[in-house]
Amino acid sequence: MNFLSDLEKQMAKRHHSRAIAILFALCWGWLLPATAQSEMALQVSTSGSKSDPVQFSLEDLDNMEQVTIETTTIWTDGDVTFSGVPLSVVLASVEAEGTSVEMVALNDYKVVMPLDQVEDNAPIIATRMNGKVMSVRDKGPYWVVFPYDADPKYQTETIYAFSIWQLNRLKVVD
């Protein structure tokens, strides 16, 4: 009987240790995105440039010209307020020259947008949705957003395709 109770005690300890490890992993998984979010940079590079890519932190982007767009999207419910920096401002800050911009998400999903689609205030690189920094789970850290409700020209499959979320890299190409 002692042997059985000792075995039961050992099994209980293993289950307890396993439960603690699982709990730690779950907590770490939930905390990591928040920590990583504050450190996520938007990398911007240009083809033919001999300089290294420029890294823009959330703080760097916040210090640039800001635009707010209130719109509906096909990916969200109801009116949403997006705020961030115009893509044109980010590209001008690195003196980008080229014909298109390659936009890449965290999962390496990529879209290429002709630069003639970039206007002064549209699209924006949204850093916030409804006043809150966007988590990776909620299409962050950055999302290319157009004022979809402002004009039917922003309600096309092409524009929707350019509306890449979880953005983390831009490369201007010829």
Side-chain angles (χ1 to χ4, degrees):
M1 190 143 168
N2 267 347
F3 173 73
L4 198 52
S5 66
D6 287 343
L7 183 60
E8 288 173 339
K9 287 178 187 176
Q10 287 177 350
M11 289 178 68
K13 282 182 183 179
R14 282 186 193 153
H15 288 296
H16 181 72
S17 296
R18 188 174 295 151
I20 289 174
I22 290 169
L23 183 61
F24 178 77
L26 288 172
C27 289
W28 181 253
W30 282 99
L31 291 174
L32 184 59
T35 303
Q37 172 67 21
S38 65
E39 297 170 4
M40 284 209 185
L42 176 65
Q43 179 181 307
V44 182
S45 61
T46 57
S47 63
S49 174
K50 295 184 194 245
S51 63
D52 292 331
V54 178
Q55 303 285 333
F56 291 100
S57 67
L58 176 60
E59 182 179 352
D60 294 332
L61 295 172
D62 284 348
N63 287 326
M64 294 180 172
E65 174 187 335
Q66 298 292 300
V67 170
T68 299
I69 296 172
E70 186 172 334
T71 191
T72 58
T73 79
I74 62 173
W75 308 279
T76 56
D77 295 324
D79 287 340
V80 180
T81 303
F82 294 97
S83 57
V85 60
L87 177 57
S88 62
V89 171
V90 172
L91 296 176
S93 73
V94 295
E95 299 176 357
E97 293 180 14
T99 59
S100 57
V101 60
E102 183 179 272
M103 301 181 288
V104 185
L106 291 170
N107 66 356
D108 290 327
Y109 174 79
K110 182 187 316 180
V111 296
V112 178
M113 181 171 66
L115 286 179
D116 62 11
Q117 295 283 319
V118 179
E119 301 170 358
D120 288 342
N121 289 318
I124 66 169
I125 298 174
T127 59
R128 289 174 177 73
M129 184 167 40
N130 293 327
K132 296 179 183 171
V133 172
M134 293 177 287
S135 70
V136 170
R137 291 178 186 257
D138 200 19
K139 300 188 176 32
Y142 310 113
W143 184 356
V144 176
V145 176
F146 291 81
Y148 308 104
D149 295 342
D151 193 309
K153 72 180 182 180
Y154 297 126
Q155 299 170 14
T156 67
E157 289 299 317
T158 301
I159 294 298
Y160 295 148
F162 296 150
S163 302
I164 184 172
W165 55 76
Q166 293 184 337
L167 179 71
N168 78 329
R169 292 178 303 227
L170 297 173
K171 182 177 182 181
V172 179
V173 293
D174 293 325

